[in-house]
Amino acid sequence: MNKITLRNDGLITQNDKVVEGDPLMLLSCGVELEAGCTLRSFFRLFEHYAVLTKLNPFLPDCLGQFRACPPSRCTCDAIDHLAFCKTIEMIGFPGEPRLEIYSSLYGVRGNATCEIKSYPFENLLDMPVKLGKLKHVIFGDKVDIFEFDTVFSLFEFIDGIVWELSFHGTSKECALRR
């Protein structure tokens, strides 16, 4: 799989060269994060590559929240870093067997993980982001859990983070009509 790197300033590099122009051909590439990459680095990606803002309907609201935040020191003392992870759940007996695959963005403190939706958006922007493992969960007569190293495509990374952040505040797409 081809690899790209997301730099701290939001630029993408491939083979040690900054990607200029349209990055759509890179959506299937495996993404790596430069050391010290933060959630703010993720949002800077869209400042450099505006075409990527069309990938998810929740992204405009997330970008609006990002732009309303202070330019620095947006951290949370309750977590050490954010981890982007993938989960595969195999669900079997009883019932119809099925497979569910999804990505998540968690807060990590020490060895413990926590949901981030209870933390204000502006307290997460300067938190380091790390790529986590794939958790394979098998539900049946007993539950088995395995963890593996994995690769995240650029599309999975963008879509997964935006999905998780869409639960911060009330985006237009999630608002209930009264």
Side-chain angles (χ1 to χ4, degrees):
M1 174 179 263
N2 291 329
K3 299 272 185 172
I4 59 166
T5 301
L6 175 61
R7 294 187 345 186
N8 293 335
D9 60 6
L11 289 169
I12 297 171
T13 60
Q14 186 176 38
N15 301 323
D16 296 322
K17 294 180 183 173
V18 172
V19 172
E20 302 288 340
D22 188 341
L24 292 179
M25 296 294 291
L26 303 175
L27 289 174
S28 64
C29 291
V31 68
E32 296 177 341
L33 304 177
E34 184 177 63
C37 221
T38 64
L39 198 54
R40 188 178 302 276
S41 306
F42 172 78
F43 282 106
R44 287 181 176 149
L45 171 72
F46 304 105
E47 293 174 343
H48 297 291
Y49 308 101
V51 69
L52 296 177
T53 63
K54 298 177 182 182
L55 292 177
N56 186 297
F58 299 108
L59 193 48
D61 284 338
C62 288
L63 284 168
Q65 290 181 62
F66 164 69
R67 291 179 182 124
C69 290
S72 63
R73 297 189 195 137
C74 297
T75 59
C76 176
D77 292 336
I79 57 179
D80 299 328
H81 69 274
L82 301 172
F84 186 71
C85 305
K86 189 184 305 185
T87 301
I88 296 176
E89 292 182 350
M90 294 178 68
I91 303 163
F93 182 82
E96 288 292 318
R98 69 183 193 275
L99 181 72
E100 295 181 7
I101 303 171
Y102 56 91
S103 299
S104 302
L105 183 66
Y106 293 103
V108 177
R109 176 128 186 149
N111 292 327
T113 61
C114 64
E115 289 188 9
I116 59 168
K117 63 184 173 184
S118 61
Y119 298 104
F121 185 90
E122 61 270 11
N123 289 26
L124 300 174
L125 279 179
D126 293 315
M127 297 303 300
V129 177
K130 297 182 181 180
L131 298 175
K133 294 189 177 254
L134 177 141
K135 185 185 294 186
H136 187 178
V137 182
I138 303 171
F139 293 102
D141 292 335
K142 64 179 185 143
V143 176
D144 291 311
I145 300 174
F146 305 96
E147 287 192 347
F148 303 94
D149 289 331
T150 192
V151 175
F152 298 94
S153 71
L154 178 59
F155 178 79
E156 287 176 309
F157 184 67
I158 292 170
D159 194 59
I161 288 179
V162 172
W163 171 256
E164 198 70 41
L165 293 177
S166 70
F167 294 100
H168 280 79
T170 306
S171 67
K172 289 182 282 187
E173 288 80 357
C174 289
L176 297 175
R177 293 185 179 192
R178 295 183 183 195

